[in-house]
Amino acid sequence: MESPEACSSGEASPVAAAERPSEAAALRALVDRVRAGEVDAAREVRRLTRASARHRCKLAAAVEPLVAMLRAAAPGAGEAALLALLNLAVRDERNKTKIVDAGALEPLIGYLQSSDLNLQEYATAALLTLSASSTNKPIISASGAIPLLVKVLKEGNPQAKNDAVMALYNLSTITDNLQAILAVQPIPPLIELLKGGKRSSKTADKCCALLESLLAFDQCRVALTSEEGGVLTIVEVLEEGSLQGREHAVGALLTMCESDRSKYRDLILNEGAIPGLLELTVHGTPKSRMKAHVLLDLLRNPPYSRSRLQPDTLENIVTNIASQIDGEDRGGKAKKMLAEMVKVSMEQSLRHLQRRASFA
């Protein structure tokens, strides 16, 4: 077992030093109990590691016997071991890799397929936590987890679905995994998850981040536009999402439009994306503002020439777009939003000048 000193960050007080041998002995005894297959010992590991980084480090020796317990047929043993391993992995990179190296993926994959939705949920949460490690990502990908995570996304309980999309996002940062994710038709459950939750949630952020990556492929674009309300749901995140969610939503729409402007321009316009894009040019993250401006320029008719050195002013772009949108309401809303945006921009510029004057 790792020594207490290996987990310590600084010199301990004399009192703490005096207590350390007895604590270390108690933790060694606890690990021995886990090794003997005691379910209550696994539950104790879970309790101690729930909110203690120090205990996660000191109880790292429990990883291998807990993985062995994952495979046990004893009632409650698998669940107790799974939850203990989950706590050991949280915010501890060494334990994340140690758990995978100890062979935890095979039983976790089995639990993903369990008819017990609670076990399925815990296994999904464990894979989410383990997939945050760059070392583990290719190993998890090779284990066959991706199709099962998409299956959980379709059929799991609400918490399992949320964790599944976040785990898939973690795995999607390996480019080769995008095709594997697309192969198991994730778009309908992703859109359903977006529709059913808050547009500003972390789940919505990860859904849109995953969609932004997947939309680089024509297969995904076809699936999204075939899904009723698919593009509209992304536009709703564009308007109502968190800063990160809106950044990914505008990135998803921009990826579509850049792939085939003639095919997707009218679809994006008809879903009412203009007001949200205009607001992003003022209130978005730096990336959002840049992407919104580029997308607005692509949406006008005709589009700007990319060979031109300076892009057109935002006002001219929006006026051009508004004149092309069917229906007075949409055009009027776009112009009203532009007026508000210009007002905010002028106020920000005035404050900037005032600040400069105060330092002159």
Side-chain angles (χ1 to χ4, degrees):
M1 181 172 178
E2 297 183 29
S3 66
E5 288 77 8
C7 301
S8 177
S9 57
E11 293 186 7
S13 68
V15 174
E19 291 174 349
R20 186 177 296 157
S22 60
E23 181 191 44
L27 294 178
R28 282 195 295 271
L30 179 59
V31 173
D32 287 340
R33 289 172 56 206
V34 175
R35 194 170 284 116
E38 290 188 29
V39 175
D40 284 344
R43 294 191 180 111
E44 179 66 6
V45 172
R46 179 196 178 195
R47 185 187 69 79
L48 290 172
T49 56
R50 180 177 288 115
S52 172
R54 183 170 62 90
H55 279 118
R56 289 182 199 119
C57 181
K58 290 186 175 185
L59 286 167
V63 166
E64 290 188 6
L66 284 169
V67 170
M69 193 180 286
L70 267 185
R71 306 171 186 273
E79 179 177 326
L82 201 165
L83 291 172
L85 287 167
L86 179 56
N87 281 359
L88 280 164
V90 171
R91 299 188 183 91
D92 192 305
E93 292 305 305
R94 291 174 66 187
N95 281 349
K96 284 182 174 70
T97 56
K98 189 168 186 173
I99 289 167
V100 170
D101 289 345
L105 287 183
E106 183 183 349
L108 284 177
I109 292 297
Y111 285 129
L112 273 187
Q113 301 172 79
S114 173
S115 58
D116 184 330
L117 292 183
N118 286 328
L119 281 178
Q120 187 185 86
E121 176 189 327
Y122 303 149
T124 306
L127 284 171
L128 164 60
T129 302
L130 296 173
S131 67
S133 163
S134 57
T135 302
N136 288 342
K137 287 180 184 181
I139 304 172
I140 294 172
S141 304
S143 73
I146 286 175
L148 295 173
L149 286 169
V150 173
K151 191 171 188 290
V152 171
L153 188 60
K154 295 174 182 177
E155 303 172 4
N157 66 30
Q159 184 59 52
K161 288 181 179 182
N162 291 342
D163 289 345
V165 74
M166 293 185 188
L168 286 166
Y169 169 74
N170 285 346
L171 297 175
S172 76
T173 59
I174 298 178
T175 305
D176 290 346
N177 285 341
L178 292 173
Q179 286 283 16
I181 295 170
L182 275 174
V184 282
Q185 302 179 348
I187 303 307
L190 280 174
I191 296 301
E192 183 179 349
L193 193 60
L194 270 178
K195 287 179 178 178
K198 290 183 179 180
R199 304 296 188 265
S200 59
S201 66
K202 288 184 179 179
T203 299
D205 292 352
K206 296 304 182 185
C207 279
C208 285
L210 184 55
L211 284 168
E212 182 179 10
S213 297
L214 293 173
L215 282 165
F217 298 89
D218 185 60
Q219 180 183 349
C220 180
R221 297 191 293 270
V222 170
L224 179 67
T225 54
S226 300
E227 192 68 21
E228 184 176 356
V231 175
L232 175 60
T233 304
I234 296 177
V235 170
E236 289 173 346
V237 176
L238 182 74
E239 295 176 335
E240 305 167 18
S242 69
L243 284 174
Q244 284 302 310
R246 298 175 79 188
E247 181 179 305
H248 291 303
V250 69
L253 296 174
L254 179 59
T255 298
M256 291 180 69
C257 204
E258 286 184 322
S259 71
D260 191 336
R261 177 185 176 275
S262 62
K263 186 174 183 179
Y264 297 114
R265 172 186 176 272
D266 288 347
L267 178 58
I268 295 170
L269 283 174
N270 291 337
E271 296 296 2
I274 300 304
L277 290 172
L278 287 173
E279 188 177 351
L280 275 186
T281 63
V282 176
H283 298 301
T285 64
K287 286 184 179 179
S288 295
R289 293 198 296 269
M290 180 272 292
K291 290 177 180 179
H293 200 295
V294 173
L295 182 54
L296 282 166
D297 220 350
L298 282 171
L299 292 176
R300 66 176 175 154
N301 189 22
Y304 70 82
S305 169
R306 291 187 179 273
S307 63
R308 197 168 70 208
L309 294 178
Q310 295 295 330
D312 207 346
T313 65
L314 186 59
E315 183 174 3
N316 288 342
I317 293 170
V318 174
T319 300
N320 177 279
I321 293 171
S323 69
Q324 299 297 321
I325 300 175
D326 293 333
E328 296 180 0
D329 289 345
R330 283 176 179 155
K333 189 174 182 180
K335 290 175 182 177
K336 180 180 177 182
M337 184 66 74
L338 176 61
E340 293 173 354
M341 182 205 70
V342 171
K343 180 182 176 182
V344 171
S345 181
M346 289 177 66
E347 290 172 351
Q348 291 175 338
S349 297
L350 180 59
R351 285 195 295 271
H352 178 66
L353 289 172
Q354 289 172 336
R355 284 195 298 271
R356 289 183 60 186
S358 68
F359 289 108

